[in-house]
Amino acid sequence: MTEMAIPRQAGSAEESPGPMVRAEQVHKSFGPLEVLKGIDLEVRAGEVCCLLGPSGSGKSTFLRCINHLEKINAGRIWVDGDLIGYRERGGKLHELRDKEVAAQRRAIGMVFQRFNLFPHMTVLQNIVEAPVLLRRAKKTEARDRAAQLLERVGLGDKLGAYPGQLSGGQQQRVAIARALAMQPKLMLFDEPTSALDPELVGEVLDVMKDLARDGMTMIVVTHEIGFAREVGDSLVFMDGGVVVEQGNPREVIANPRHNRTKAFLAKVL
């Protein structure tokens, strides 16, 4: 079956005045271990950027730096023009207060490998919690939006179910709906299908494809090469904490320029 690029709604990436995400010389170390060694990356509004690479290449760490879950050691990251985690004065960076960082994170949805749902709350309660507490949304409005989002991810009949009553794929779709409930301008996905049984992967990828069609800006750490080829606007291959190669996913996958990229793709295709 021939894979086609996902068509976007008009008026997203091409018309954006600037990148949604811009990273400049991002470095991150954990003690003596340097995980990110100067990452430069731009992602336009409405673009789906797929990060590929072997385990330990720094992909997930970089993703966590974008919303300041990990503090960078050097460099800068902007999301929609806002410097993430810091304020710059006189050429020096000063870390923002926790409340200011939390406000920035509210515009950035993140979906992890594990679903991180509250097991004692129903599906509906899991989704309503953050908008009510963090965005001060009215409960009735938050419930209505949660119900709409659950319909969107194909779980409109699971409002009263608890996470333990759902399959892994269903739980991950709830996690996506929960992130969308905050109305983010950017979605980060950290290997969202890696913890799923193979037969459940497709239902999660279908939801992500739907988001791509609607023009959601997404950065996706994934080993799903088919998804990257079909849905991605850009592909970034990382290894050893650096960007080895990047470009159009279909071109990079079909004709990688670097030997390291070739060796990696030869093992996963």
Side-chain angles (χ1 to χ4, degrees):
M1 182 176 177
T2 303
E3 290 172 326
M4 302 286 288
I6 294 288
R8 299 284 188 275
Q9 284 191 351
S12 55
E14 289 75 15
E15 298 177 8
S16 173
M20 176 62 73
V21 178
R22 179 158 62 99
E24 288 186 358
Q25 284 300 294
V26 173
H27 290 255
K28 174 63 183 177
S29 297
F30 295 99
L33 178 63
E34 190 177 16
V35 178
L36 301 178
K37 304 174 182 178
I39 301 294
D40 292 311
L41 183 68
E42 287 194 359
V43 180
R44 299 168 298 163
E47 180 178 335
V48 178
C49 174
C50 295
L51 302 184
L52 267 63
S55 297
S57 60
K59 309 181 302 298
S60 294
T61 297
F62 176 63
L63 209 66
R64 292 170 65 85
C65 289
I66 293 175
N67 63 2
H68 207 61
L69 285 175
E70 296 290 354
K71 299 177 183 180
I72 61 178
N73 298 111
R76 288 161 174 75
I77 299 174
W78 292 265
V79 173
D80 201 21
D82 291 330
L83 182 62
I84 296 298
Y86 300 93
R87 182 178 291 108
E88 188 167 4
R89 290 179 186 155
K92 294 184 178 180
L93 295 182
H94 303 270
E95 190 164 5
L96 297 178
R97 293 174 297 173
D98 290 345
K99 183 180 292 188
E100 294 172 302
V101 173
Q104 290 183 328
R105 286 196 188 121
R106 287 200 286 271
I108 306 171
M110 187 159 186
V111 178
F112 300 87
Q113 297 178 33
R114 295 292 175 179
F115 325 122
N116 297 330
L117 301 176
F118 296 114
H120 64 287
M121 291 184 177
T122 65
V123 165
L124 184 66
Q125 290 168 336
N126 264 280
I127 297 173
V128 166
E129 182 84 355
V132 170
L133 289 179
L134 301 178
R135 285 198 176 276
R136 307 298 184 196
K138 294 180 179 179
K139 285 188 176 180
T140 53
E141 294 176 358
R143 288 194 188 101
D144 288 345
R145 177 161 175 78
Q148 293 170 1
L149 288 169
L150 285 169
E151 284 286 349
R152 179 175 183 176
V153 300
L155 295 172
D157 60 339
K158 300 294 185 182
L159 278 71
Y162 287 87
Q165 298 172 313
L166 304 179
S167 70
Q170 289 172 327
Q171 290 186 62
Q172 192 62 295
R173 283 186 279 158
V174 173
I176 293 173
R178 181 179 58 181
L180 292 173
M182 293 296 287
Q183 303 180 50
K185 61 182 71 174
L186 168 68
M187 285 286 286
L188 308 176
F189 292 87
D190 188 6
E191 298 193 38
T193 61
S194 65
L196 301 179
D197 292 334
E199 65 268 22
L200 302 178
V201 168
E203 62 190 49
V204 174
L205 294 182
D206 285 343
V207 172
M208 295 169 65
K209 291 175 185 178
D210 183 58
L211 290 177
R213 290 188 186 95
D214 283 352
M216 173 63 74
T217 310
M218 297 157 55
I219 303 179
V220 185
V221 174
T222 184
H223 290 296
E224 299 290 340
I225 303 298
F227 175 86
R229 183 164 43 204
E230 179 184 357
V231 182
D233 297 296
S234 64
L235 184 150
V236 176
F237 176 70
M238 291 178 61
D239 190 29
V242 300
V243 173
V244 176
E245 184 167 355
Q246 59 184 310
N248 178 283
R250 288 155 289 284
E251 294 176 3
V252 172
I253 292 168
N255 297 295
R257 299 189 306 272
H258 293 266
N259 289 333
R260 185 66 191 91
T261 315
K262 292 177 183 177
F264 175 81
L265 290 174
K267 291 180 180 178
V268 298
L269 286 175

